[in-house]
Amino acid sequence: MTSQPARSRATLTDISSRAWEHPADQGALVALRRLKGFDTVLKAVSGMFNERAFRLVFLGSAVRVDERQFPALHHQLLDVARVLDVAEVPELYVVANPTLNVITVGMNKPFIVLNSGLVDLLDEDELRYVIAHELGHAVSGHAVYQTLLQRLLQLTGVLNSLPLGALGVRAIVAALYEWSRKAELSADRAGLLATQDPATAFRVHMQLASGGHLDELDITSFFAQGQEYLDATDLRDSVLKLLLIENRTHPFAVVRATELRRWVDSGEYTRFLAGDYPRRSTDDDAKVSDAAKAAAASYADTFQQTQDALGKMVHDLAGVAGSVKLWLDERLRRDTD
């Protein structure tokens, strides 16, 4: 497949990461920062983890992408940075690993590590989307919390000896998992804004779900499958879904594609491409309380719109609780009068 000419992709000058961040991603970050003991764990892990040593591992064992090594990937990285108006471009490495994965890590200076399995599988435009996805992670600051999550998973035994205790560590790990899944939805949006081709974005998720058998897939059936997962009407399936994703850093590939299409259908993607997007110059004016409210609204909207049985049950229970409160308030006012 031929790649889309770079000149046909609009540069989104001064675009803020708020443009692509899922409301629940921002809300989760707010929750993480407010979580008791979070700063203590962050500082402890930062002390245990030598980021320079971690970078040296890839410097010595992988290939750093530049104008002479994987030049096509280098050009793609620079071009998505242009489209998203990112001045500080992270380093990109290709590591010999057949698994279909890519990560962005680092607390002070994030860098991207792309597995060779993805380089072998994806075409140029698909790789552009993956690189843009990771650049979205880096710009949003996700790499800090992703690195923290990975270190916590490896060092849980050591951290359990801290005054915070095992329960506190487990609470933070659970919060990080929830945040990580929402952060992936944000980065998917960043990838789409940089690629500016929904078909390419959807194709990447179809490739990841099928292991490269794109010719055997039908996009209509693929999205119908994702919607069936989201709309499961059996309460048992709803509970099972919660258990299945509890310790996952990423949502399922089919679900991610479906969520991304929802965002496109909402009209926000088209509006942003037309230039109507949040800008970095106004980031200082953004309020934490607004992010928390947007996250709450996002979860409420999901419960309200979904056909998921557990979601409907929680929403209905919330409605009943609200009605009871109103009734009690009314009775108390009458008794007081």
Side-chain angles (χ1 to χ4, degrees), residues 133-189:
H133 171 104
E134 295 304 317
L135 186 60
H137 276 315
V139 174
S140 288
H142 291 157
V144 173
Y145 298 101
Q146 190 61 252
T147 301
L148 175 60
L149 174 58
Q150 296 304 321
R151 295 298 99 188
L152 279 172
L153 292 177
Q154 295 175 19
L155 301 172
T156 300
V158 175
L159 291 170
N160 283 346
S161 63
L162 295 174
L164 180 64
L167 290 178
V169 172
R170 288 175 61 185
I172 291 175
V173 169
L176 281 167
Y177 270 126
E178 165 63 10
W179 158 78
S180 181
R181 291 189 293 272
K182 296 302 184 291
E184 291 304 320
L185 301 182
S186 297
D188 283 344
R189 296 178 179 186

Side-chain angles (χ1 to χ4, degrees), residues 16 20 28 40 55 83 87-88 134 150 266 268 277 292 307 309 323:
S16 168
W20 61 74
T40 302
R55 177 180 173 273
V83 173
E88 189 172 347
E134 295 304 317
Q150 296 304 321
S266 74
E268 202 167 53
Y277 50 76
Q307 296 301 309
S323 299

Side-chain angles (χ1 to χ4, degrees), residues 153-304:
L153 292 177
Q154 295 175 19
L155 301 172
T156 300
V158 175
L159 291 170
N160 283 346
S161 63
L162 295 174
L164 180 64
L167 290 178
V169 172
R170 288 175 61 185
I172 291 175
V173 169
L176 281 167
Y177 270 126
E178 165 63 10
W179 158 78
S180 181
R181 291 189 293 272
K182 296 302 184 291
E184 291 304 320
L185 301 182
S186 297
D188 283 344
R189 296 178 179 186
L192 177 55
L193 285 170
T195 306
Q196 299 179 10
D197 180 14
T200 295
F202 299 150
R203 199 165 63 242
V204 169
H205 293 298
M206 294 171 75
Q207 291 272 46
L208 294 176
S210 68
H213 299 279
L214 192 62
D215 293 340
E216 299 293 328
L217 272 61
D218 174 77
I219 192 166
T220 301
S221 298
F222 187 78
F223 280 121
Q225 176 184 334
Q227 200 61 50
E228 181 180 346
Y229 175 90
L230 292 174
D231 291 347
T233 57
D234 192 301
L235 181 59
R236 292 167 297 181
D237 288 343
S238 300
V239 174
L240 283 172
K241 285 194 293 184
L242 288 175
L243 295 175
L244 288 171
I245 66 170
E246 181 183 6
N247 294 323
R248 290 183 62 90
T249 58
H250 290 55
F252 294 126
V254 183
V255 176
R256 285 172 64 182
T258 305
E259 292 283 2
L260 187 59
R261 190 177 72 163
R262 281 184 175 182
W263 186 60
V264 173
D265 292 343
S266 74
E268 202 167 53
Y269 163 69
T270 303
R271 181 163 56 85
F272 288 171
L273 285 190
D276 183 14
Y277 50 76
R279 299 179 183 269
R280 289 194 301 269
S281 54
T282 64
D283 279 349
D284 291 341
D285 299 329
K287 297 179 180 178
V288 173
S289 58
D290 290 341
K293 290 176 183 176
S298 173
Y299 280 116
D301 185 60
T302 298
F303 281 136
Q304 199 165 27

